[in-house]
Amino acid sequence: MKQPLEKEMDYFAAYLYGHLRDHRFPEVTDTEFINARAGEAYKTMTRLILEGRSQPVAEELAMRVLLNGYYVSRWDVIFNLLEELFHNDLPTEEAKIEWADLLLGLRYINAILDKYEVNGDFLSRDDYQPLQNELAGMISEIIKKTRDVLQ
């Protein structure tokens, strides 16, 4: 039977793995990273409980440690942009997912993301709108060229 420590560590590791997978972070395959983050989250939760914080508060603060810098991925930025601005061009969720995967693999899309230093906490910064404008222009051109080639 697993000890409470192992169960909590497993929970944090499983949660982080699922988050990294669902948001397509490259660290999803880095078991050491996932286990280290899970350990830090567990230590944070334990420390806060020992200091007298309630279980729900300690868990919430531990989750912040677990996900710090990994809230929003580059894929999320692209997918959200496709949902917001290209719903007429890409009417299904499957199409948006396929295009987000495709666009994330393009070096000039990554050059724009690099220019704005897109990382896991990007949406909290002021330069989201300029990034969105630049990406929207590039994506619009790509979709138009693709459509022209297919016609």
Side-chain angles (χ1 to χ4, degrees):
M1 179 174 198
K2 288 192 172 192
Q3 299 298 317
L5 166 65
E6 293 174 12
K7 288 180 184 177
E8 290 294 333
M9 291 283 290
D10 287 349
Y11 169 76
F12 285 126
Y15 187 93
L16 182 57
Y17 172 79
H19 181 79
L20 296 173
R21 180 199 60 224
D22 294 347
H23 297 274
R24 293 174 167 74
F25 281 100
E27 290 83 359
V28 71
T29 60
D30 188 345
T31 307
E32 274 186 46
F33 170 79
I34 292 170
N35 289 332
R37 275 291 175 105
E40 288 302 313
Y42 178 77
K43 286 178 197 173
T44 298
M45 187 180 75
T46 302
R47 179 180 50 79
L48 292 170
I49 290 171
L50 291 173
E51 290 173 0
R53 298 282 183 102
S54 68
Q55 180 81 22
V57 169
E59 285 178 10
E60 175 62 29
L61 295 172
M63 290 304 277
R64 290 182 187 180
V65 168
L66 186 70
L67 298 176
N68 186 34
Y70 289 88
Y71 294 107
V72 177
S73 67
R74 290 172 163 235
W75 187 89
D76 290 325
V77 170
I78 293 170
F79 182 79
N80 290 334
L81 187 66
L82 294 174
E83 277 194 320
E84 290 174 25
L85 303 177
F86 296 94
H87 51 273
N88 290 334
D89 296 300
L90 306 169
T92 66
E93 177 139 352
E94 293 79 24
K96 291 177 188 85
I97 290 170
E98 287 176 21
W99 272 87
D101 290 339
L102 172 86
L103 291 167
L104 191 58
L106 300 176
R107 74 179 189 299
Y108 37 89
I109 294 293
N110 277 288
I112 295 170
L113 296 168
D114 289 343
K115 174 181 169 183
Y116 290 94
E117 298 177 3
V118 174
N119 59 34
D121 65 352
F122 179 77
L123 293 180
S124 64
R125 299 195 329 238
D126 292 334
D127 50 359
Y128 178 68
Q129 193 61 49
L131 165 72
Q132 186 179 39
N133 294 341
E134 193 169 342
L135 273 177
M138 180 64 71
I139 291 169
S140 181
E141 285 181 40
I142 293 168
I143 289 174
K144 182 183 180 314
K145 286 180 183 178
T146 303
R147 189 177 301 126
D148 291 346
V149 168
L150 294 175
Q151 290 180 351

